[in-house]
Amino acid sequence: MLATPWICRSCVRSLKRIGFSSQFVRRASTVDSSVNLPPALLERARNLTAEYDELNAKLLNDFDPKIAKRAGEVGKIASAFRQFEKAKASLSELEGLIKSDDAEMREMAREDLADTNKELIESGRNLSVALTPKHPFADMPCVIEIVPGPGGTEGRFFADSVYKMYLSYCANQGFRAKAVQYVTAEGDGSKKGNDGEVALQEATIEVLDEGAYNHFRGEAGMHRVQRVPWTETKGRTHTSAVAVWVLPSFPENASAETEAEWENPESDFYIDASEVKAEKMRASGAGGQHVNKTESAIRLTHIPTGITVSMQDNRSQHANRTAAWKLLRSRIAQKRREEREEQARALRSSVLSQSQLTRSDKIRTYNYSQDRCTDHRPGLDMHNLPDVLRGGETLHKIITSVQTWMTEKDIQALLADEEAAAAVADSKAKKGK
Amino acid sequence: MPRLPPSLFHTAAQIHPLAPRLLPVCRSLASVRSELRWIAQHVLQSQSSHLVPPRLRLWQLVDLRATGLPLQYVLGSQPFGSLDIKCRKGVLIPRPETESWTLYLASLLSSSSSPSQGLRVLDLCTGTGCIPLLLSSSLSARNTPLSSVTGVDISPRAISLAQENLAHNLRLGTLLPSTGSKIQFLQHDVFSPDFVSTLGKEEVDVLVSNPPYISHRGFATDTARSVRNYEPKLALVPSPEKQALSSTEHPEDVFYARILHLAQQLESPNKVVLEVASLEQATRVVDMVHSSPELLREYKTIEIWRDEPAYGGGVIPHRIEGINITVSVRGEGNGRAVYLSRD
């Protein structure tokens, strides 16, 4: 595929003369079609399949819900592995037939070979997806927070665009989204940006569908904008950034199970209430019957981490407090997970370094003058920026490709882990000798 | 009050044409913005029952609010915990501080063991009925059995509004019908000599109260203008004939003396919570408890709760100068309530 959507005729002619130089051809790709699954992964799949058979045999004798649960987890991998093995076996058989003397048979084998190859690739990918560990928060709804980065008013204006983009994307894709918080910046209230943007200070969208976290987690990071701002008189292009945070959130009616999770000190969502400082953002003074303030804003500060959350949209102090706690739990859980991942990364080889997503990485660029949106992780260029900002199909394509890319990275990380573990086991075995 | 700069009115006009009218009562742009939004939401939600078009009603309500009338009276309601409490002129508006300690008390009650036949709760000077309604709602949500909940007030207006609030929250579904049947409101004077006998009860488990606690002087100097001009003085300042009953130099404390006396007559309820104005008033109430040997014998735990008893990491001992008593203070903010417990 060409990196540019169109090329003028004279350029095409000159291209013909010099031939397609490699610099015009995009090589970045989100699809890795190799069937060569590393031995470590296959070994693991084989072990798990053996375990699955064993568990099934046990289940036949007596039913134990724990074993049944484990069997359910492993079953998917086992069936994917069987399919893969089958495809591999039939492929080797076909290769044998191709060498046969019968011309007709050779012809038939060749016809089947293409299909079987495709099947093998497919089942190989299924197997590696099945082996990839599921993100612990994958089934949860999520909260998307949009905060303008450094870059003054221009960043704030673009933050409004990003906010609208996600809201309409959710509407287009059928996600149930709800604006939890929308705070415009004080002082810039009268000014308007491109397309009537308002200077945004902070906005929070809650996507209520289960699994929304898995869908949107690739959106977390720095979103960079390059454009000529409305207020710019000399026509210079400015670059500013908007930070997007995606955090797992709880369903509206938290079930007893998740509430129990909050009380469990082992859980990511556990917060010791004595470590939280609550401030009501109201004027100091006598309080109580003496005054009658309507401000119901709540600010919670988690002292050990310094994470601060404030809520002010609802008239009810109680509702604001509930929302603030929810957000605080999500942020702390996210932070804890990031810390854990960071530790794990330090132990692993460097394969992972590109796929770690922290807030500081620039992940996407919106370039207005080139009508282009680039995601830097899969290296995907999309045109038709207005459609992206409307949350249309173009944005959906970008988000999907990021998801694919993240799955690939997860698999790579898994393989690196397996190999490292195998190496450690090997060296131990050698030492043992 | 400091003068507002004219530029602020100019900025407010750019938010909304009606915003400058709210600025003198709200005093800040953030507050103006929130109140405008809440008024607009209220207009849209209640539109079906009005004939006036929404834009005109927004105008009317903003005009009303601009006179200094509290927002809760303009909109006719105030969220209180999970409940929606109706507010009307002549009855005190529920305060967020009251909400905080009520919810904290509910969490204490549901975590400690309760009598098998269910808790008996008595609220004195109940006003809108917000405290007994919220206690019932959060206790039934935590599966703590309730046997009876009674709210008492001297004002007939308050009692009829409390009844209305009970019906209103039953209709909204924030109170369960099974809980609603256990709640009653009585019009009665806490100071009448036959109070306990007319109550028809010998014992209660939980006694709570948010009585009038502001002094005459404090009413004139410390209260906010909207409180002074629009909220009932009856609910804020003990009336002169009641203050005359007090023998101390702080006649505004007269209700606490009476309620502590009633607590003894009611066979010392398990838990007593009394809302107060400040840490000073709280220490005076603690002193009252200490000066009565019967009360001191019954109540092992005596605490002062601040505005947010659930936060701030537990209790801090606080030494009261002059009377040489050390009392535990819990939470963050101003001194807000005195808590007595038998265990």
Side-chain angles (χ1 to χ4, degrees):
Chain A
M1 191 191 155
L2 287 175
T4 44
W6 53 267
I7 303 172
C8 69
R9 202 187 296 161
S10 60
C11 290
V12 171
R13 269 190 224 119
S14 66
L15 276 174
K16 248 185 200 163
R17 252 199 321 278
I18 58 172
F20 266 85
S21 155
S22 63
Q23 82 185 84
F24 294 107
V25 181
R26 273 200 64 81
R27 299 214 182 274
S29 164
T30 54
V31 183
D32 183 9
S33 60
S34 73
V35 212
N36 296 326
L37 288 172
L41 192 67
L42 286 178
E43 188 58 41
R44 178 155 184 256
R46 199 165 291 131
N47 290 342
L48 286 175
T49 311
E51 189 190 338
Y52 176 68
D53 291 339
E54 213 170 279
L55 290 175
N56 261 349
K58 261 188 209 164
L59 277 178
L60 276 182
N61 293 332
D62 61 329
F63 186 83
D64 180 359
K66 259 187 197 168
I67 296 180
K69 196 176 167 216
R70 175 72 187 153
E73 283 165 9
V74 182
K76 220 165 135 194
I77 297 171
S79 71
F81 181 66
R82 293 235 167 85
Q83 211 182 347
F84 178 73
E85 289 281 82
K86 207 176 112 193
K88 227 164 80 173
S90 58
L91 191 69
S92 62
E93 206 166 291
L94 283 175
E95 270 165 0
L97 287 177
I98 281 177
K99 284 173 194 147
S100 88
D101 299 333
D102 192 343
E104 203 175 327
M105 196 175 265
R106 273 210 302 273
E107 192 57 36
M108 270 168 65
R110 205 161 287 137
E111 269 172 24
D112 277 0
L113 192 64
D115 281 349
T116 316
N117 250 331
K118 212 185 267 170
E119 208 172 288
L120 185 67
I121 290 171
E122 183 79 3
S123 60
R125 195 181 303 128
N126 280 346
L127 180 61
S128 46
V129 167
L131 277 170
T132 311
K134 214 167 114 196
H135 194 285
F137 303 151
D139 289 336
M140 287 195 179
C142 72
V143 173
I144 304 175
E145 282 189 74
I146 297 149
V147 182
T153 320
E154 165 62 3
R156 294 184 168 173
F157 283 138
F158 186 66
D160 192 36
S161 270
V162 173
Y163 166 78
K164 285 177 187 149
M165 173 177 88
Y166 283 125
L167 265 193
S168 46
Y169 176 73
C170 288
N172 290 340
Q173 297 294 326
F175 284 108
R176 283 180 299 141
K178 173 171 101 177
V180 182
Q181 166 132 301
Y182 185 81
V183 185
T184 50
E186 205 76 39
D188 295 322
S190 55
K191 289 184 217 151
K192 288 270 156 71
N194 302 26
D195 307 327
E197 291 166 339
V198 180
L200 192 70
Q201 200 179 339
E202 193 183 358
T204 312
I205 303 171
E206 188 174 6
V207 188
L208 300 165
D209 292 84
E210 284 183 8
Y213 181 70
N214 201 33
H215 192 90
F216 284 102
R217 74 188 166 108
E219 297 303 292
M222 277 297 193
H223 292 234
R224 187 172 69 165
V225 59
Q226 291 173 324
R227 66 176 179 187
V228 182
W230 203 247
T231 46
E232 169 66 53
T233 47
K234 298 199 177 96
R236 289 171 295 198
T237 301
H238 288 211
T239 298
S240 36
V242 171
V244 174
W245 298 353
V246 181
L247 308 166
S249 123
F250 294 101
E252 193 77 339
N253 302 319
S255 64
E257 204 173 313
T258 43
E259 279 207 36
E261 186 94 318
W262 295 355
E263 303 303 327
N264 174 13
E266 298 289 306
S267 150
D268 274 348
F269 292 99
Y270 174 77
I271 301 178
D272 187 354
S274 65
E275 291 177 347
V276 176
K277 199 163 155 283
E279 291 166 65
K280 291 181 194 173
M281 289 182 281
R282 62 177 74 227
S284 59
Q289 292 175 2
H290 289 88
V291 294
N292 177 18
K293 285 269 177 186
T294 51
E295 282 144 53
S296 53
I298 288 283
R299 178 190 286 149
L300 296 178
T301 311
H302 187 238
I303 299 162
T305 53
I307 293 176
T308 306
V309 169
S310 64
M311 273 291 153
Q312 58 183 43
D313 271 18
N314 205 300
R315 245 181 97 203
S316 159
Q317 178 187 254
H318 183 66
N320 281 336
R321 189 189 304 265
T322 316
W325 268 98
K326 203 163 150 184
L327 194 59
L328 187 67
R329 277 182 209 284
S330 307
R331 281 210 191 155
I332 287 176
Q334 180 76 2
K335 194 181 162 74
R336 287 184 184 150
R337 187 181 131 86
E338 268 173 25
E339 280 168 4
R340 259 211 317 274
E341 279 186 349
E342 195 60 35
Q343 284 172 355
R345 179 168 77 150
L347 292 172
R348 276 184 209 148
S349 58
S350 59
V351 187
L352 249 188
S353 60
Q354 288 174 355
S355 67
Q356 270 289 316
L357 282 181
T358 56
R359 292 165 191 159
S360 55
D361 294 332
K362 166 190 81 191
I363 57 157
R364 197 176 291 163
T365 299
Y366 303 79
N367 191 314
Y368 275 60
S369 53
Q370 294 172 15
D371 186 33
R372 168 176 64 87
C373 180
T374 303
D375 199 290
H376 301 285
R377 293 158 303 171
L380 183 73
D381 272 330
M382 291 303 271
H383 290 270
N384 195 359
L385 190 60
D387 189 49
V388 171
L389 292 173
R390 271 199 305 271
E393 266 318 295
T394 323
L395 180 64
H396 185 60
K397 270 183 203 159
I398 296 174
I399 290 180
T400 322
S401 92
V402 171
Q403 275 172 346
T404 321
W405 176 84
M406 284 176 91
T407 316
E408 300 276 329
K409 283 292 168 189
D410 279 351
I411 295 169
Q412 277 185 18
L414 180 81
L415 294 184
D417 265 0
E418 301 266 304
E419 264 165 32
V424 169
D426 262 7
S427 65
K428 267 187 190 165
K430 270 177 197 164
K431 267 181 197 166
K433 277 174 194 173
Chain B
M1 260 191 284
R3 182 174 162 271
L4 294 169
S7 62
L8 207 57
F9 286 86
H10 185 70
T11 325
Q14 286 168 344
I15 298 172
H16 193 277
L18 287 175
R21 318 194 59 173
L22 287 179
L23 202 51
V25 285
C26 295
R27 316 289 307 169
S28 80
L29 280 182
S31 170
V32 166
R33 206 175 270 142
S34 309
E35 290 206 3
L36 255 182
R37 193 179 60 236
W38 295 330
I39 295 175
Q41 271 171 8
H42 171 78
V43 166
L44 288 178
Q45 276 164 15
S46 61
Q47 193 47 44
S48 52
S49 56
H50 289 268
L51 292 172
V52 188
R55 285 185 59 185
L56 209 59
R57 275 193 68 218
L58 181 67
W59 189 287
Q60 282 176 338
L61 294 185
V62 168
D63 251 9
L64 212 55
R65 174 70 181 124
T67 60
L69 188 70
L71 182 74
Q72 292 88 341
Y73 287 153
V74 175
L75 304 185
S77 72
Q78 165 69 27
F80 192 75
S82 50
L83 307 178
D84 188 55
I85 298 288
K86 286 190 176 185
C87 297
R88 208 181 299 144
K89 241 181 151 176
V91 185
L92 187 80
I93 297 166
R95 300 293 201 265
E97 289 89 354
T98 312
E99 176 186 325
S100 295
W101 71 249
T102 307
L103 287 172
Y104 184 67
L105 176 65
S107 71
L108 278 189
L109 286 174
S110 59
S111 60
S112 62
S113 62
S114 53
S116 52
Q117 79 275 18
L119 286 170
R120 292 157 295 181
V121 181
L122 175 64
D123 177 34
L124 304 178
C125 311
T126 195
T128 53
C130 56
I131 301 173
L133 292 176
L134 183 57
L135 271 182
S136 315
S137 146
S138 34
L139 286 178
S140 60
R142 292 163 202 249
N143 298 322
T144 308
L146 280 170
S147 140
S148 73
V149 180
T150 312
V152 179
D153 204 294
I154 192 170
S155 148
R157 275 188 183 185
I159 291 302
S160 72
L161 186 62
Q163 305 277 21
E164 244 178 75
N165 273 323
L166 171 60
H168 178 61
N169 281 292
L170 282 173
R171 201 166 46 242
L172 287 179
T174 45
L175 267 177
L176 297 175
S178 58
T179 319
S181 59
K182 289 169 188 158
I183 305 173
Q184 54 165 344
F185 293 102
L186 303 173
Q187 191 210 332
H188 207 58
D189 185 358
V190 174
F191 279 84
S192 77
D194 59 342
F195 180 77
V196 175
S197 57
T198 42
L199 202 61
K201 269 186 207 133
E202 293 297 302
E203 291 174 46
V204 288
D205 301 308
V206 182
L207 176 65
V208 289
S209 181
N210 180 12
Y213 54 61
I214 302 176
S215 63
H216 276 298
R217 197 189 142 68
F219 183 73
T221 56
D222 301 341
T223 52
R225 197 176 288 169
S226 75
V227 175
R228 204 157 55 233
N229 293 346
Y230 294 97
E231 291 201 75
K233 199 173 175 183
L234 178 70
L236 299 164
V237 185
S239 59
E241 55 268 29
K242 289 192 177 134
Q243 294 208 8
L245 297 172
S246 170
S247 53
T248 63
E249 54 185 303
H250 288 285
E252 68 268 24
D253 296 349
V254 65
F255 265 88
Y256 301 113
R258 174 64 183 165
I259 293 169
L260 288 176
H261 181 65
L262 284 178
Q264 287 178 34
Q265 288 186 356
L266 290 164
E267 307 289 329
S268 301
N270 261 333
K271 288 184 166 51
V272 178
V273 182
L274 306 173
E275 181 168 329
V276 295
S278 60
L279 202 58
E280 288 76 46
Q281 194 167 33
T283 56
R284 292 203 299 268
V285 175
V286 170
D287 187 27
M288 272 181 209
V289 178
H290 273 263
S291 57
S292 152
E294 293 88 15
L295 283 173
L296 203 56
R297 197 173 57 237
E298 293 293 344
Y299 292 107
K300 293 199 192 77
T301 312
I302 302 173
E303 283 180 3
I304 295 175
W305 289 353
R306 292 181 182 275
D307 285 341
E308 292 291 340
Y311 293 88
V315 290
I316 296 162
H318 173 76
R319 185 153 186 82
I320 304 172
E321 298 301 327
I323 51 174
N324 278 335
I325 303 168
T326 306
V327 61
S328 349
V329 180
R330 183 184 288 278
E332 289 178 346
N334 290 318
R336 187 53 59 207
V338 173
Y339 167 72
L340 310 176
S341 171
R342 291 173 73 140
D343 37 49

